[in-house]
Amino acid sequence: MPHRPSRPPRTLHASSTQGTLGAPPEPERVIRFGRNTPKDDPEVHLTVGGQDQSVSRRHGELIFRDNLWWPRNIGRQLVRLPRGLMLHHTSEPVPLASGHTPLFVKGSGGREHLVELFVADHERPEPRSAPGAPTVPPKRWDLAPEERLIAVVLAQCYLRYEPDPRPVTYREANAQLGYLRLEDGWTARTVERRAGELRRRLHAAGFPPAVIREEDDGPYDARLLHNLLKGLVETTSLVPPDLTLLDETP
């Protein structure tokens, strides 16, 4: 197979179930996606949700400006980016980081149409298929036995893959931990403190979601605990078989 030269940094790669494209980083370059096909509409470069009439004919744009690619919603339905960021057609564009970014276009009947985006840089050049390459496992975070038990108690809804999961309250967790006889004399405040210590330890080790505030001595923050538990489950540092810890009796 002939050698393909690498494309320059900031080259954009975009793909959906109905096509793929690569776009060099040219100033004011616009890549447009939507329900229309490039054959029928030369203003559309990538078809997304082609059979879904809830997707606009021209639904979104990616604009190269200030050495960055900026997604913008120009359709009727919302566009969703990672970490819960939603783009309405009145929203300002946001910059894409280097590497992979999934973008979801809201469709009909609860459907979401995926656009996979990749922005190349010096460390991460154009992605190439490698059928024989080993699978890269997720980054897992080691937990001490006591940390794991506390996290499992708090993350029960996440480990059961329930929709819209929420952490168990510290009061409820303390009651369950008391039943498991983790340690005498615990209170809800003790569970909160131990969970805070875990958040700070993982943050110092490079845990990617935001799990602490700049000054982490304020009141309990449900969002930060949610980020911790969701991150542990998504990296398979906590897995459903860990729920058997809750069945152990003294």
Side-chain angles (χ1 to χ4, degrees):
M1 179 180 295
H3 173 71
R4 291 190 301 169
S6 296
R7 298 195 182 185
R10 297 299 174 190
T11 295
L12 173 71
H13 306 269
S15 63
S16 71
T17 58
Q18 295 165 285
T20 185
L21 61 84
E26 300 170 349
E28 301 303 320
R29 177 76 182 267
V30 177
I31 298 299
R32 193 169 291 110
F33 58 88
R35 177 161 50 94
N36 281 357
T37 66
K39 179 180 178 181
D40 297 328
D41 183 351
E43 293 295 314
V44 171
H45 306 94
L46 181 68
T47 303
V48 178
Q51 305 302 317
D52 190 337
Q53 288 186 272
S54 291
V55 178
S56 296
R57 294 178 178 87
R58 301 175 185 178
H59 201 104
E61 295 178 336
L62 295 133
I63 306 166
F64 190 74
R65 183 179 299 149
D66 299 328
N67 206 36
L68 293 168
W69 287 97
W70 301 76
R72 185 165 76 97
N73 184 1
I74 58 174
R76 294 179 180 271
Q77 294 277 9
L78 291 173
V79 169
R80 180 168 67 87
L81 290 167
R83 300 186 180 179
L85 178 61
M86 296 289 190
L87 295 181
H88 185 256
H89 68 81
T90 60
S91 302
E92 292 295 323
V94 295
L96 286 180
S98 298
H100 289 278
T101 301
L103 180 151
F104 298 89
V105 177
K106 295 283 187 179
S108 59
R111 297 171 67 189
E112 288 190 314
H113 302 278
L114 171 64
V115 182
E116 289 192 89
L117 303 173
F118 181 87
V119 178
D121 62 17
H122 292 287
E123 288 73 30
R124 287 168 287 198
E126 179 181 358
R128 306 287 179 85
S129 61
T135 300
V136 178
K139 164 65 177 176
R140 297 185 178 93
W141 302 89
D142 293 330
L143 301 175
E146 183 180 277
E147 291 177 329
R148 181 173 298 277
L149 180 55
I150 293 171
V152 168
V153 170
L154 294 170
Q156 296 173 54
C157 295
Y158 301 80
L159 288 168
R160 296 188 182 103
Y161 300 141
E162 295 180 8
D164 194 25
R166 291 290 184 269
V168 168
T169 68
Y170 289 133
R171 186 179 299 276
E172 293 169 335
N174 181 61
Q176 190 161 16
L177 290 166
Y179 169 77
L180 295 169
R181 295 184 184 176
L182 178 67
E183 185 176 330
D184 293 334
W186 276 45
T187 66
R189 178 57 183 163
T190 307
V191 180
E192 180 179 0
R193 177 170 56 81
R194 294 294 178 91
E197 291 169 354
L198 175 59
R199 289 193 289 115
R200 287 187 288 274
R201 181 178 74 78
L202 293 183
H203 172 76
F207 196 68
V211 292
I212 69 166
R213 294 183 294 275
E214 291 184 6
E215 295 182 2
D216 196 29
D217 57 353
Y220 160 61
D221 187 330
R223 179 181 60 82
L224 299 178
L225 182 60
H226 168 77
N227 290 347
L228 170 71
L229 302 176
K230 185 171 181 285
L232 288 173
V233 171
E234 288 182 346
T235 59
T236 66
S237 303
L238 292 179
V239 292
D242 285 330
L243 288 168
T244 59
L245 293 174
L246 307 185
D247 300 327
E248 295 181 0
T249 57

